[in-house]
Amino acid sequence: MYQLGHYGITMLAYAPVGASVALAGEQVLAILGAVICLSLSTLPDADHQIPLIEHRGITHTLVFALLVGAVMGGGLYLALEVVTGTVDTTLVTFVFAVSAFAIVTHILGDALTPMGVAPFWPLTSRRFTLNVTPAKNRLANYGLFVLGVGASVLAVMAVSALG
C-alpha cells in the first residue's frame, strides 16, 4: 500500500480501540494513541531510504513492531523519570502497545498486496499475502483512506453520544 492506504488502514483499525479508550474515560489517551498510530503508520517504509535493508524485510516484521513499541515506551519511561521523577506505567504500557499496533497495521496493509510480507521473521521467512490489490492501486489506497476517516468519524460520534 501507499501512504494514504496505510493511514486509512491505521485509522480503520484504531477507531474501535480509540473509542473504547475514550469511553473508559481516557479521552486524552485516546487522542494520544491516534496521533502515535498515524505518526508511525508509515515508518516501516523507511526501509526504502536505508541502504542494505530489503524493502518489506525486517521493518515489516512483528520483531520490528515490538522494537518500535519498546523504543517508544522506553523513551517515555526515561523521559518521565528524568523530568518528573515518577513514571505512569499505564501510560508507558499504552504508548508501547499503540506504537507496536501502528506497525502491525502497516504489516496488515502490505499483506493485502501480491508481494505480501514475512511478519514472522526470523522464525520463518515465509511470505503471507491476501493478494487483494497491488500496492499502487489508487482506488484501493483512496478507498482505505476514506474508510479510515469514516470509521474515525463514527468512533467520535459514538463517544459523543455514549460518553
Side-chain angles (χ1 to χ4, degrees):
M1 301 310 305
Y2 285 3
Q3 187 174 12
L4 275 184
H6 283 299
Y7 289 153
I9 289 167
T10 299
M11 287 187 287
L12 188 59
Y14 184 75
V17 174
S20 298
V21 171
L23 287 171
E26 296 290 345
Q27 293 85 358
V28 172
L29 207 56
I31 293 167
L32 175 65
V35 169
I36 290 170
C37 278
L38 283 174
S39 297
L40 296 175
S41 65
T42 59
L43 179 63
D45 284 340
D47 61 6
H48 285 293
Q49 310 301 320
I50 304 170
L52 306 175
I53 300 286
E54 173 190 356
H55 178 53
R56 293 196 186 178
I58 192 168
T59 62
H60 288 67
T61 65
L62 296 178
V63 168
F64 186 71
L66 292 173
L67 177 65
V68 170
V71 167
M72 293 292 290
L76 177 60
Y77 181 94
L78 291 174
L80 289 172
E81 180 71 33
V82 168
V83 173
T84 67
T86 61
V87 174
D88 180 344
T89 55
T90 301
L91 177 61
V92 169
T93 302
F94 181 76
V95 167
F96 167 84
V98 296
S99 298
F101 181 82
I103 304 305
V104 170
T105 64
H106 184 101
I107 294 168
L108 292 173
D110 283 346
L112 296 174
T113 69
M115 184 178 174
V117 288
F120 301 111
W121 179 92
L123 300 176
T124 178
S125 56
R126 179 172 179 241
R127 297 187 85 74
F128 293 87
T129 177
L130 297 173
N131 200 14
V132 173
T133 182
K136 67 181 179 181
N137 183 320
R138 290 175 54 121
L139 180 61
N141 281 283
Y142 281 101
L144 285 168
F145 184 73
V146 168
L147 284 174
V149 170
S152 298
V153 168
L154 287 174
V156 169
M157 290 172 58
V159 169
S160 296
L162 299 172

